[in-house]
Amino acid sequence: MSGKPGEEGAGTPREGTPRVARAWRPEGTRVRVGQVEIGGPGFVVMAGPCAVEGMEQTEQTAAAVASAGAHVLRGGVFKPRTSPYSFQGMGEPGLRVLAEAARKVGLPIVSEVMDAAQLPLMEDHVDILQVGARNMQNFALLRALGKLRKPVLLKRGMAATFQEWLLAAEYVLDGGNEQVILCERGIRTFETATRNTLDLAAVALAKQRTHLPVIVDPSHATGEPDLIQPMALAAAAAGADGLIIEVHPRPEQALCDGQQALTPERFAQLMRRLPGVLGAMDRHLWMPELPAHVVGAR
Ligand code: PEP
Ligand code: MN
């Protein structure tokens, strides 16, 4: 199969067109979280620590990313770690820390769910449920998410083809949950100079072939702070609908992914540079719509 949804081999549902296909909703899907809209003209930035480590770290990061203009707070409390001896996340107490930090700065939350059994707990605190790269083909989890009416951020598996990524999204849509955001986070290739290889062509292709919002994670895609800003700006130029970026106030002390964390200062610099690139694409950073009477009075 060529990778084009709707062609032979896609396992097409009843109507003959996969639900992820652009033809299903040519105008594009917009996913709402609180006031924020992902997939419209506004570009949405999600930022925060890889892992929630405690109240002070989470609140400091939340305050920093919010004041730099981020729209959604990220933070993992269930961490899929390569080694069973690495920090596995704070679990349930971490969710309360994350929720409190987000409430103080008024941002919605994106956080990773590793298992369907965690959903009842997470549903109460989290606005966007992230499916990590390692779980992209956890079909039981995808089916469970299909039953919810809550946005899902679906990361591309590290060895998943474009087609496999879209079919994973299809599982969630087929269950009736249409609030899916695709996230390109780099794939594993022969190249070892960067943590992964960022497939920006897949971002532009996903925008053409599907109606779903597509965002980019330059943190896991590169694993290297110096490469995050250039790849974030390139993602904006490639037509992504947003970014998800890891930020830590003291990267050298981070319990997870500190080597790729941006400091708050570097994150703020990126936020200042994004509007220039977005402007060239006739887009802008997402901002709340002003009520008609305010717009009229300007
Ligand atoms: C993460 O967001 O911290 C994470 C584990 O990402 P990925 O699933 O893309 O590796
Ligand atoms: Mn991480």
Side-chain angles (χ1 to χ4, degrees):
M1 140 138 232
S2 67
K4 209 171 184 176
E7 287 184 349
E8 185 198 342
T12 54
R14 315 143 265 297
E15 297 82 357
T17 306
R19 286 170 197 274
V20 295
R22 174 62 74 170
W24 194 272
R25 198 176 289 129
E27 71 282 13
T29 290
R30 297 182 182 200
V31 173
R32 285 197 84 92
V33 270
Q35 267 200 303
V36 180
E37 189 180 69
I38 305 151
F43 187 87
V44 172
V45 180
M46 310 182 189
C50 176
V52 171
E53 300 167 8
M55 194 52 108
E56 199 208 349
Q57 168 249 12
T58 308
E59 285 192 350
Q60 268 184 21
T61 314
V65 300
S67 73
H71 307 105
V72 179
L73 180 65
R74 69 149 284 153
V77 301
F78 298 111
K79 294 304 305 177
R81 304 305 300 277
T82 300
S83 165
Y85 307 118
S86 301
F87 175 59
Q88 304 283 305
M90 283 181 71
E92 185 173 355
L95 267 185
R96 284 192 289 272
V97 167
L98 185 60
E100 176 63 9
R103 191 193 56 76
K104 283 195 177 152
V105 294
L107 295 184
I109 293 174
V110 56
S111 192
E112 178 165 353
V113 55
M114 284 175 60
D115 190 298
Q118 294 160 352
L119 284 174
L121 175 67
M122 294 194 76
E123 259 194 294
D124 290 343
H125 298 289
V126 172
D127 302 285
I128 306 175
L129 292 156
Q130 174 177 326
V131 177
R134 290 155 191 81
N135 257 323
M136 188 204 83
Q137 286 189 319
N138 179 339
F139 299 115
L141 178 59
L142 297 174
R143 285 273 186 225
L145 290 165
K147 294 197 184 113
L148 304 183
R149 295 296 173 270
K150 200 165 243 243
V152 173
L153 178 69
L154 181 64
K155 291 213 171 182
R156 181 179 182 182
M158 60 179 89
T161 65
F162 181 77
Q163 185 63 16
E164 287 163 346
W165 184 30
L166 299 199
L167 287 171
E170 187 76 14
Y171 268 85
V172 184
L173 269 67
D174 184 51
N177 185 357
E178 311 215 322
Q179 304 280 288
V180 176
I181 304 158
L182 296 170
C183 178
E184 160 63 29
R185 46 78 74 204
I187 49 174
R188 188 169 279 183
T189 68
F190 56 84
E191 183 57 77
T192 53
T194 48
R195 183 173 178 183
N196 289 292
T197 298
L198 179 57
D199 187 3
L200 280 182
V203 173
L205 191 63
K207 288 299 297 175
Q208 280 177 21
R209 299 264 175 95
T210 85
H211 55 81
L212 300 174
V214 184
I215 71 165
V216 169
D217 174 346
S219 302
H220 293 87
T222 64
E224 164 64 57
D226 288 344
L227 300 179
I228 291 173
Q229 182 180 120
M231 291 305 97
L233 297 174
D241 294 300
L243 296 166
I244 181 164
I245 296 183
E246 290 186 347
V247 178
H248 197 290
R250 292 168 295 279
E252 66 292 346
Q253 290 172 22
L255 297 181
C256 186
D257 280 351
Q259 76 290 345
Q260 68 192 27
L262 286 188
T263 58
E265 295 71 30
R266 293 185 88 174
F267 176 70
Q269 186 192 57
L270 168 61
M271 291 301 287
R272 287 193 297 274
R273 291 193 173 159
L274 272 169
V277 174
L278 290 169
M281 303 299 295
D282 295 325
R283 295 189 74 176
H284 50 80
L285 283 174
W286 184 86
M287 62 191 126
E289 256 173 48
L290 295 172
H293 69 276
V294 178
V295 178
R298 281 205 300 195

